[in-house]
Amino acid sequence: MPKFGVILSGCGVYDGSEIHEAVFTLLSLDQLGAAYQCMAPDASLDTIDHLAGKPAGDKRNVLVESARIARGNVVDLATVKAADFDGFILPGGYGAAKNLCTFATHGPDCTINPQVARVLKEAHALGKPIGLICIAPALGAKLLADKQVKVTIGHDAGTAEAIKKTGATHQACGVNDIVVDEKNRVVSTPAYMEAKSIKEAYAGISKLVGRVVEMAGK
Amino acid sequence: MPKFGVILSGCGVYDGSEIHEAVFTLLSLDQLGAAYQCMAPDASLDTIDHLAGKPAGDKRNVLVESARIARGNVVDLATVKAADFDGFILPGGYGAAKNLCTFATHGPDCTINPQVARVLKEAHALGKPIGLICIAPALGAKLLADKQVKVTIGHDAGTAEAIKKTGATHQACGVNDIVVDEKNRVVSTPAYMEAKSIKEAYAGISKLVGRVVEMAGK
């Protein structure tokens, strides 16, 4: 049974992993007969009150909050070796752009969490497929800009422009579809960058997971 | 388009709504062409650290945390009138047994949050279907014991016994299946009371949602 790492960034669209996207990633993997391990960096995040849509004024821990989506079964990314997995998938949510890297605040000049960068660089070097959902492709673009990686975040012009400024290639894409960079073995889908409903997010993510699992078998 | 209320109890299996169950409820409703509104009581909860599996020692707000699953779109249950909806669904998680009622600590002698009880009593009186997932059937059993409601939480003997002590009827049920009380228009499924994997939880929940939506149309 192939096994995939799912890299989370907290629990909630505004300060962590987008919950629907993360859950659909896990469901799709399980439905395809693939195992998964949730993982996240041991780092702090600025809590957003999701009802008020404003900063709550306190901090939470990315790994501890990610455990909510994982039903407790999440490991510290610092303990992860890419060689132990068949591929990796990153759901979106602001956490992917604030906690895993600083794209939300620094755009193309962002930095990437060292453990996230290490695991994904190792995975890429080993030819393991990487799936990037929603805003997570911006992180992948920064990480693999020197490989001319091709990704999508949908149609948002400003975000696409920032991705191009990293040196990566952006390709527009509909919500139900995926963009595949065969050479770099990177698959991306817009999900809630475009989705108007939860079923639209599910459609693109299940397609992405299918392609990542298929790639891992080749 | 029929519209359903999804009653949440926080965000995370150990102190709120079980996240996968809540997300699958929303997905299934959307896929069936039904609209939904997430709702939760404005109440406090005892935070559980989901990584350590222990009390974190602080409190969070049920409505505010539920907003994470709802991407911000959640309303205070106190503002909800059952007549405005075609039915209601309660995902499980410890939140359903600790924040919406006190079944986790008081078993058959539990009390139910007044707003939860009011909305569900109104719904039942109006003949609106009610879907109960995982441990949430225990709440429904207590609420509608005088109606001899029939529910399932799967096969767990201790929980089934506690449900029977409320005066309700318990019927054993497999993870992929549902129990339907036609007279009371109550549908239940075990989900993570039985599920060994995320796809098993999805299977039962999508079946439950299908039946609740179908019932609402009759």
Side-chain angles (χ1 to χ4, degrees):
Chain A
M1 184 187 274
K3 187 173 185 180
F4 294 83
V6 177
I7 302 181
L8 301 177
S9 61
C11 178
V13 56
Y14 298 127
D15 61 13
S17 285
E18 207 298 313
I19 290 172
H20 306 181
E21 293 176 359
V23 172
F24 295 153
T25 299
L26 304 184
L27 174 65
S28 298
L29 285 168
D30 192 29
Q31 287 180 325
L32 290 166
Y36 59 79
Q37 175 64 59
C38 293
M39 49 191 66
D42 183 3
S44 76
L45 63 82
D46 294 317
T47 312
I48 302 292
D49 177 324
H50 280 55
L51 182 63
K54 292 177 184 169
D58 66 340
K59 288 181 183 292
R60 294 181 183 179
N61 179 282
V62 175
L63 180 60
V64 171
E65 297 309 312
S66 296
R68 293 176 175 273
I69 292 172
R71 295 170 51 84
N73 188 2
V74 64
V75 298
D76 184 346
L77 205 56
T79 69
V80 171
K81 292 175 185 173
D84 294 338
F85 294 87
D86 294 285
F88 292 85
I89 301 179
L90 281 73
Y94 277 90
K98 294 198 294 190
N99 307 334
L100 302 187
C101 70
T102 61
F103 185 81
T105 47
H106 292 76
D109 302 318
C110 65
T111 54
I112 300 173
N113 173 286
Q115 293 301 334
V116 175
R118 177 188 62 78
V119 169
L120 292 180
K121 284 276 189 187
E122 281 177 20
H124 183 266
L126 292 166
K128 314 266 183 187
I130 298 171
L132 303 165
I133 296 167
C134 186
I135 192 63
L139 186 157
K142 180 68 179 180
L143 186 85
L144 300 173
D146 62 334
K147 311 289 184 190
Q148 289 83 48
V149 69
K150 180 176 71 179
V151 297
T152 190
I153 48 79
H155 295 97
D156 184 72
T159 309
E161 195 54 38
I163 282 176
K164 286 178 195 165
K165 281 185 182 163
T166 65
T169 300
H170 181 268
Q171 183 176 312
C173 176
V175 69
N176 292 314
D177 217 345
I178 57 176
V179 164
V180 183
D181 179 334
E182 295 282 359
K183 182 168 148 280
N184 284 302
R185 296 170 73 78
V186 169
V187 187
S188 48
T189 193
Y192 274 114
M193 285 296 293
E194 296 285 336
K196 301 282 186 290
S197 69
I198 188 169
K199 73 181 172 202
E200 286 189 352
Y202 175 68
I205 290 167
S206 63
K207 195 165 185 176
L208 174 139
V209 173
R211 190 56 168 270
V212 168
V213 172
E214 186 183 40
M215 259 187 180
K218 288 178 184 172
Chain B
M1 183 188 276
K3 187 174 184 178
F4 294 83
V6 178
I7 302 181
L8 301 176
S9 61
C11 178
V13 57
Y14 298 127
D15 61 13
S17 286
E18 207 298 312
I19 290 173
H20 306 181
E21 294 176 359
V23 171
F24 295 153
T25 300
L26 305 183
L27 174 64
S28 297
L29 285 168
D30 192 31
Q31 287 180 325
L32 290 166
Y36 59 79
Q37 174 65 58
C38 293
M39 50 192 65
D42 183 4
S44 77
L45 62 82
D46 294 318
T47 312
I48 302 293
D49 177 323
H50 280 55
L51 182 63
K54 292 177 184 169
D58 67 340
K59 288 181 183 292
R60 294 181 183 179
N61 179 282
V62 175
L63 180 59
V64 170
E65 296 309 313
S66 296
R68 294 177 175 272
I69 292 172
R71 295 171 52 82
N73 187 3
V74 64
V75 298
D76 183 345
L77 205 56
T79 68
V80 171
K81 292 176 186 172
D84 294 338
F85 294 88
D86 294 284
F88 292 86
I89 301 178
L90 280 74
Y94 277 88
K98 294 198 294 189
N99 308 333
L100 303 187
C101 71
T102 60
F103 184 81
T105 48
H106 292 74
D109 302 318
C110 66
T111 54
I112 300 174
N113 173 286
Q115 293 301 332
V116 175
R118 176 188 61 78
V119 168
L120 292 180
K121 283 277 189 188
E122 282 177 20
H124 183 265
L126 291 165
K128 315 267 184 187
I130 297 171
L132 302 165
I133 296 167
C134 186
I135 192 63
L139 185 157
K142 181 68 179 180
L143 186 85
L144 301 172
D146 62 335
K147 312 289 183 189
Q148 290 83 48
V149 70
K150 181 176 69 178
V151 298
T152 190
I153 48 80
H155 294 97
D156 184 72
T159 309
E161 197 53 40
I163 283 176
K164 286 177 194 165
K165 281 186 182 161
T166 65
T169 300
H170 181 266
Q171 183 177 312
C173 176
V175 68
N176 292 314
D177 217 344
I178 57 176
V179 164
V180 183
D181 179 334
E182 294 282 0
K183 182 169 148 282
N184 283 303
R185 297 171 73 77
V186 169
V187 187
S188 49
T189 192
Y192 275 115
M193 285 296 292
E194 295 286 337
K196 301 281 185 290
S197 68
I198 188 169
K199 73 180 172 203
E200 286 188 353
Y202 175 69
I205 290 167
S206 62
K207 195 165 184 176
L208 173 138
V209 173
R211 191 56 169 269
V212 169
V213 171
E214 186 184 40
M215 258 188 180
K218 287 179 184 168

